[in-house]
Amino acid sequence: ETGVTQTPRHLVMGMTNKKSLKCEQHLGHNAMYWYKQSAKKPLELMFVYSLEERVENNSVPSRFSPECPNSSHLFLHLHTLQPEDSALYLCASSQEEVRGNSGANVLTFGAGSRLTVL
Amino acid sequence: GENVEQHPSTLSVQEGDSAVIKCTYSDSASNYFPWYKQELGKRPQLIIDIRSNVGEKKDQRIAVTLNKTAKHFSLHITETQPEDSAVYFCAARPPISGSARQLTFGSGTQLTVLP
């Protein structure tokens, strides 16, 4: 399989559950991302693993925790979520330049995991 | 950090007409500006991008223009077709400089092409 694949595609969970979203990229990229997409809002960057460095958006609650065991796999662990966390969670990957200043950052997105928190 | 504003939030055009979506950005150092298209129920996909060393780029029916002085860039779609109906996102990225290097997205424009 090629590209970026995400599982599960749909997830319904209660506020006390613990679940994980999985992402796998087959593009040989060196950076992976989690984005949150809510209705009528910008794509919100949650976490980045780039060149073995983790970058996070400080506004993301601690009930979301990422894990990146290698450059091809990315997880988002979910626990004690709130109904407002219901959204589409998109994984993406890109090939980051080690040096240089061109700024280009072409993201390849997965199909997303639609999360509903009851 | 970077802030990107996108207008309009919704846009309806007749098939064959042109569509224009505009974005402004706040960080004058940003030097990369992509546009992504997200069809209903599908993933966002890059359709065109522009770097700050050029003012315009075209690819068939789509074009992007950049005005660095005014800090705004626009997506132009000519001869629109029903398959152009989607949500379009603009984004901006500053040069490589630590954690601030990531893309900042606009809030999206829902384009509907009416037959």
Side-chain angles (χ1 to χ4, degrees):
Chain A
E1 192 168 350
T2 59
V4 180
T5 56
Q6 290 186 240
T7 55
R9 293 294 308 278
H10 300 274
L11 178 62
V12 179
M13 57 188 289
M15 289 191 285
T16 58
N17 292 158
K18 289 184 180 181
K19 297 286 184 182
S20 296
L21 307 181
K22 179 183 176 182
C23 178
E24 185 174 357
Q25 60 99 359
H26 307 268
L27 299 168
H29 287 166
N30 60 7
M32 296 188 76
Y33 310 76
W34 280 116
Y35 280 89
K36 177 182 179 182
Q37 186 173 33
S38 304
K40 299 185 179 180
K41 288 187 177 179
L43 284 163
E44 178 188 352
L45 179 64
M46 301 176 73
F47 302 102
V48 182
Y49 282 84
S50 175
L51 302 172
E52 301 183 353
E53 177 186 2
R54 171 176 148 180
V55 176
E56 57 190 271
N57 180 340
N58 291 329
S59 67
V60 176
S62 59
R63 54 186 183 267
F64 294 91
S65 60
E67 179 189 358
C68 190
N70 54 60
S71 61
S72 299
H73 295 84
L74 184 65
F75 296 88
L76 187 62
H77 302 300
L78 317 169
H79 62 99
T80 59
L81 294 191
Q82 303 297 311
E84 60 264 30
D85 297 323
S86 298
L88 180 67
Y89 289 84
L90 289 163
C91 173
S93 70
S94 71
Q95 183 63 25
E96 288 293 285
E97 297 178 9
V98 175
R99 54 184 176 274
N101 201 25
S102 69
N105 179 217
V106 179
L107 297 176
T108 301
F109 284 91
S113 293
R114 173 69 63 186
L115 173 67
T116 302
V117 182
L118 301 177
Chain B
E2 176 65 276
N3 181 47
V4 177
E5 295 193 359
Q6 184 171 346
H7 300 280
S9 57
T10 60
L11 177 61
S12 293
V13 299
Q14 289 294 136
E15 183 177 356
D17 287 351
S18 295
V20 180
I21 303 170
K22 298 180 179 179
C23 288
T24 60
Y25 60 99
S26 61
D27 187 347
S28 57
S30 286
N31 64 352
Y32 175 64
F33 308 91
W35 286 87
Y36 284 80
K37 174 184 180 182
Q38 187 176 25
E39 296 178 44
L40 186 63
K42 296 191 176 180
R43 69 196 73 190
Q45 290 189 299
L46 179 73
I47 55 171
I48 195 168
D49 56 11
I50 191 168
R51 302 186 189 193
S52 58
N53 57 348
V54 298
E56 183 176 1
K57 183 177 179 180
K58 290 186 72 173
D59 183 3
Q60 299 183 330
R61 294 187 299 107
I62 60 173
V64 57
T65 58
L66 171 65
N67 183 327
K68 286 192 296 182
T69 303
K71 290 189 287 186
H72 68 70
F73 56 111
S74 300
L75 178 71
H76 305 254
I77 306 174
T78 58
E79 301 173 25
T80 53
Q81 301 168 3
E83 53 265 37
D84 294 328
S85 296
V87 178
Y88 291 82
F89 294 95
C90 65
R93 187 190 193 200
I96 294 175
S97 59
S99 61
R101 61 195 290 202
Q102 305 305 328
L103 283 172
T104 298
F105 282 88
S107 55
T109 297
Q110 172 68 62
L111 173 65
T112 303
V113 179
L114 304 169

